[in-house]
Amino acid sequence: MSDSARERVRLRRYSELPVWVAEDHQEVLPFIYRAIGSKHLPASNISFVHFDSHPDLLIPVNMPADTVFDKETLFGKLSIENWIMPAVYAGHFSHIIWLHPTWAQQIKEGKHHFLVGKDTSTTTIRVTSTDHYFLSDGLYVPEDQLENQKPLHLDVIMVKPYKLCNNQEGNDAVSSAKKPKLALEDAESTASPNCDSYSEGLEKDTVTQKSGQACLEPSCSCSESQECQTAVNTREVLEILKKGDAFVLDIDLDFFSVKNPFKEMFTQEEYKILQELYQFKKPGTNLTQEDLVDCVDTRTHQLEDLEATFADLCDCDDEDTIQRWASNPGMESLVPLIRSLKKRMAVPDYEMVHQAGLTCDYSELPHHVSTEQEIESLIQSVYCLLKHLPKPTLVTIARSSLDDYCPCEQVDSIQEKVLTVLRSLYGTLDIHLAYSADSSPS
């Protein structure tokens, strides 16, 4: 018996599935570490199933790699965009499945196999992936420059929503407002015979339909013997999970509806200038290792110059300082940007300006405020996938509402729908609303 098999046999089991709900996404990592410490999760070969409009797979750029072995220090260094990869380097996660909605396409679809390790020249965590997502943040290094290498299998899979249709024969029937969405007791007469939904959990849902009776198109079949062809290839996900010793289910509520909060902080013209200043010029194809290193060096210097610019402006943003920085190549548009910001606010938050700029590289942050129908369709897709997967060891949920990624007017409703799905699949849950508590795991 292998070491991992022995560890799997020794793992403890929760009597009820724990569900940890946090506000910011990095706040769920301590709960995963707690499960590892209590022997409910293995220390390695964990599969991480990640529903999110954002990959969250960046790395704290200047954090020493060895920080991952001091968990309390580590937790204080993480942000919403960079909390997963340190757990990969620590050896915990070996497989990550990023399940994303149609409007989020930051990483190329498909399978990615690469190494995560310590850069021998900087002692920081770096990767060998050449995807634009990593190149644009200056995170690529050649394999021979990495020590303590950890292989990562990353699968990027799009989740398509169930399509809803109107039941034309239901106009003289009971009002749709009195019928639960996607899960009608008389679904047999309105949906494909193959369709299955979480009807038991949603029978109490009384949210009003926009029009007509909800039904699932025949192509959206989800029986025990058939996959959700319009959602996700469940066999593919199952095969991935078989390679791990346990899996964590992670859901960011902005998967269902998401905003780009920076678009509301800046005018259209200001945002356009940020895109110009922070633009990442995508490299061509068939690049040599030397070309890739040069690309990363150029990008790193660009970002360092921009960081230094806005750090200096925090101290003094008089005309001389602005003109001095704007005289650098490619920085001419800094002048109209700062003037516009100073017209609108007494003291611009230049640190926030820089953070916004960092999101303007090769693509914009996803922005798609979903309708109720779109949310319901994605809820059904998630249900259909999860019902064909084994039960996770634990579930982590991020609300992402205080920073305006998940719309604050929708987050509570989405959260309740997700919890309803989990209850219908896994029975009684041990729910911890960490965002409303004053305690945190150790």
Side-chain angles (χ1 to χ4, degrees):
M1 184 183 294
S2 67
D3 290 341
S4 65
R6 288 192 188 94
E7 183 173 10
R8 192 163 63 244
V9 170
R10 292 196 301 265
L11 289 177
R12 299 169 62 193
R13 294 194 176 191
Y14 293 110
S15 57
E16 295 174 350
L17 179 65
V19 179
W20 292 92
V21 187
E23 180 57 52
D24 295 337
H25 214 154
Q26 79 275 13
E27 295 170 351
V28 307
L29 189 60
F31 305 119
I32 296 171
Y33 272 55
R34 173 187 279 183
I36 295 172
S38 64
K39 304 295 185 183
H40 289 91
L41 280 173
S44 61
N45 203 27
I46 299 171
S47 297
F48 191 68
V49 177
H50 179 57
F51 287 90
D52 201 324
S53 279
H54 311 90
D56 296 352
L57 294 174
L58 295 178
I59 296 166
V61 176
N62 298 315
M63 185 186 79
D66 289 349
T67 305
V68 304
F69 304 116
D70 179 353
K71 65 178 183 179
E72 297 307 327
T73 302
L74 172 65
F75 297 155
K77 298 287 187 182
L78 303 179
S79 301
I80 56 174
E81 76 282 0
N82 61 24
W83 61 278
I84 298 174
M85 293 298 265
V88 174
Y89 177 69
H92 303 313
F93 298 157
S94 56
H95 298 79
I96 295 174
I97 306 174
W98 178 38
L99 294 150
H100 63 94
T102 55
W103 53 76
Q105 301 178 23
Q106 297 94 312
I107 301 179
K108 186 178 178 181
E109 202 77 5
K111 295 183 178 295
H112 303 252
H113 304 294
F114 55 93
L115 298 173
V116 181
K118 181 197 286 188
D119 182 350
T120 54
S121 65
T122 65
T123 73
T124 55
I125 301 173
R126 291 296 183 265
V127 301
T128 58
S129 173
T130 58
D131 190 273
H132 292 154
Y133 179 79
F134 298 106
L135 289 177
S136 67
D137 225 48
L139 298 176
Y140 164 84
V141 297
E143 181 177 342
D144 60 9
Q145 199 171 315
L146 283 183
E147 63 182 16
N148 195 23
Q149 298 173 355
K150 300 296 191 322
L152 175 63
H153 300 270
L154 168 65
D155 287 81
V156 179
I157 301 173
M158 181 184 294
V159 179
K160 297 178 183 178
Y162 262 81
K163 294 178 183 178
L164 302 183
C165 61
N166 290 330
N167 177 22
Q168 300 300 326
E169 299 176 359
N171 293 334
D172 57 350
V174 180
S175 167
S176 62
K178 298 180 181 178
K179 297 181 180 180
K181 293 182 178 181
L182 299 180
L184 306 169
E185 290 187 33
D186 58 346
E188 294 82 5
S189 63
T190 59
S192 163
N194 300 356
C195 283
D196 189 11
S197 69
Y198 55 110
S199 56
E200 191 172 322
L202 288 188
E203 281 172 359
K204 297 179 182 178
D205 187 349
T206 57
V207 181
T208 303
Q209 290 273 133
K210 280 197 172 180
S211 63
Q213 180 174 314
C215 68
L216 304 181
E217 292 185 350
S219 62
C220 304
S221 59
C222 185
S223 67
E224 292 299 328
S225 60
Q226 291 182 289
E227 299 170 353
C228 300
Q229 297 294 344
T230 59
V232 175
N233 185 331
T234 55
R235 291 190 184 95
E236 178 184 0
V237 178
L238 271 172
E239 286 303 311
I240 298 168
L241 293 182
K242 285 179 182 177
K243 299 172 184 176
D245 292 332
F247 94 88
V248 173
L249 172 61
D250 176 73
I251 302 172
D252 194 317
L253 300 185
D254 74 15
F255 169 86
F256 302 94
S257 183
V258 67
K259 293 167 69 175
N260 176 352
F262 297 114
K263 280 199 164 184
E264 296 181 355
M265 293 183 190
F266 303 99
T267 67
Q268 188 172 351
E269 185 60 31
E270 289 166 353
Y271 195 76
K272 182 180 178 182
I273 294 174
L274 282 175
Q275 289 176 311
E276 294 172 358
L277 287 171
Y278 285 83
Q279 180 185 14
F280 171 66
K281 295 180 181 179
K282 295 181 180 180
T285 57
N286 302 319
L287 297 180
T288 65
Q289 181 174 294
E290 185 178 351
D291 292 333
L292 290 167
V293 170
D294 287 344
C295 170
V296 168
D297 285 344
T298 300
R299 178 61 171 172
T300 299
H301 289 138
Q302 177 191 3
L303 296 179
E304 287 175 347
D305 288 346
L306 287 163
E307 182 179 17
T309 299
F310 287 104
D312 198 15
L313 290 170
C314 285
D315 295 331
C316 177
D317 63 353
D318 61 17
E319 193 65 22
D320 288 343
T321 304
I322 297 169
Q323 292 292 344
R324 176 163 49 83
W325 283 108
S327 65
N328 293 327
M331 298 280 277
E332 300 83 5
S333 57
L334 187 67
V335 175
L337 172 64
I338 303 305
R339 287 176 178 170
S340 177
L341 290 172
K342 293 177 76 172
K343 281 182 181 178
R344 294 196 302 110
M345 53 193 80
V347 183
D349 184 346
Y350 292 115
E351 184 177 348
M352 182 61 70
V353 175
H354 177 57
Q355 292 303 315
L358 291 174
T359 70
C360 302
D361 37 34
Y362 62 94
S363 66
E364 290 187 20
L365 286 176
H367 184 90
H368 182 96
V369 179
S370 300
T371 64
E372 280 297 311
Q373 182 170 299
E374 288 174 318
I375 292 171
E376 289 290 345
S377 298
L378 281 173
I379 286 284
Q380 184 70 43
S381 293
V382 170
Y383 169 83
C384 187
L385 170 61
L386 294 180
K387 70 175 280 189
H388 290 92
L389 302 183
K391 184 177 180 179
T393 299
L394 80 158
V395 180
T396 53
I397 296 174
R399 288 166 58 86
S400 299
S401 61
L402 295 184
D403 52 11
D404 284 334
Y405 284 99
C406 185
C408 59
E409 67 275 12
Q410 294 179 322
V411 66
D412 290 332
S413 171
I414 294 173
Q415 179 174 313
E416 190 50 47
K417 292 177 191 295
V418 169
L419 291 176
T420 297
V421 165
L422 297 177
R423 288 188 190 99
S424 69
L425 289 168
Y426 309 124
T428 305
L429 306 174
D430 181 18
I431 299 174
H432 304 265
L433 303 181
Y435 62 93
S436 64
D438 202 20
S439 58
S440 61
S442 57

